[in-house]
Amino acid sequence: MLIFLAPSSPKYLPSQKHNYNHYVNPKTTHSPSLFKIQAMAKKSSETSSSIEKIAIVGGQISTPVVGWSLYTLKTTGCGLPPGPGGSIGALEGVSYLVVVGIVAWSLYTKSKTGSGLPNGPFGLLGAVEGLSYLSLLAILVVFGLQFLDQGSIPGPLPTDQCFG
């Protein structure tokens, strides 16, 4: 936001009595400016709550995992492999929940305030919100295509069909 401020002192304004036809030494005289321009930015990074920071970190981790999961689902017909101790499968499931949770939070905020989530520090919460909406759209498209191709979508637990 730019703010245009008038000078605080009237001595900078031209006077009717002043004679401008005299010699002025440019080395010693400074030209007064009529306007002062000041740039200000909102300090939203200082007021971000811990919930926003958790959502930023969770969204930055979850959206790529959901993308990896959807790619694997579309190319193999199965979700991500369970991994050691089921850790990759658990990360996949939690990532879907985080994406849906961020979209739900955004929709709730939109219905209460008329605008989505705040930008957060460095605009990261706004970016995570946008990526979550894109991930949800990709989920709907890939799950729909999977349902049309296979007649169903894989369940949350590994089956013999995929990881037997």
Side-chain angles (χ1 to χ4, degrees):
M1 164 186 3
L2 286 177
I3 298 176
F4 294 98
L5 301 173
S8 59
S9 172
K11 69 180 182 180
Y12 294 126
L13 296 175
S15 171
Q16 297 290 348
K17 299 177 188 175
H18 197 288
N19 183 5
Y20 288 101
N21 294 327
H22 67 281
Y23 173 72
V24 176
N25 185 355
K27 294 181 180 177
T28 60
T29 307
H30 298 288
S31 169
S33 62
L34 292 180
F35 291 101
K36 178 181 177 184
I37 300 174
Q38 182 177 5
M40 297 176 64
K42 288 179 18 178
K43 296 180 180 177
S44 64
S45 63
E46 295 176 2
T47 61
S48 62
S49 69
S50 60
I51 296 292
E52 291 177 359
K53 291 177 184 175
I54 291 170
I56 289 169
V57 172
Q60 288 177 335
I61 294 170
S62 296
T63 51
V65 171
V66 168
W68 178 29
S69 170
L70 292 174
Y71 174 77
T72 304
L73 176 63
K74 186 63 185 136
T75 55
T76 66
C78 300
L80 295 177
S87 59
I88 296 176
L91 179 64
E92 177 185 23
V94 170
S95 295
Y96 278 98
L97 293 175
V98 168
V99 166
V100 171
I102 291 172
V103 169
W105 181 25
S106 171
L107 291 174
Y108 175 77
T109 305
K110 179 83 171 171
S111 70
K112 294 295 181 191
T113 65
S115 64
L117 297 176
N119 285 336
F122 305 108
L124 291 175
L125 186 58
V128 164
E129 178 185 16
L131 288 173
S132 295
Y133 275 106
L134 288 174
S135 294
L136 183 65
L137 178 65
I139 290 168
L140 294 174
V141 168
V142 172
F143 279 18
L145 292 172
Q146 179 72 16
F147 186 77
L148 290 175
D149 290 344
Q150 305 290 329
S152 66
I153 56 174
L157 298 175
T159 61
D160 291 337
Q161 175 190 359
C162 291
F163 306 106

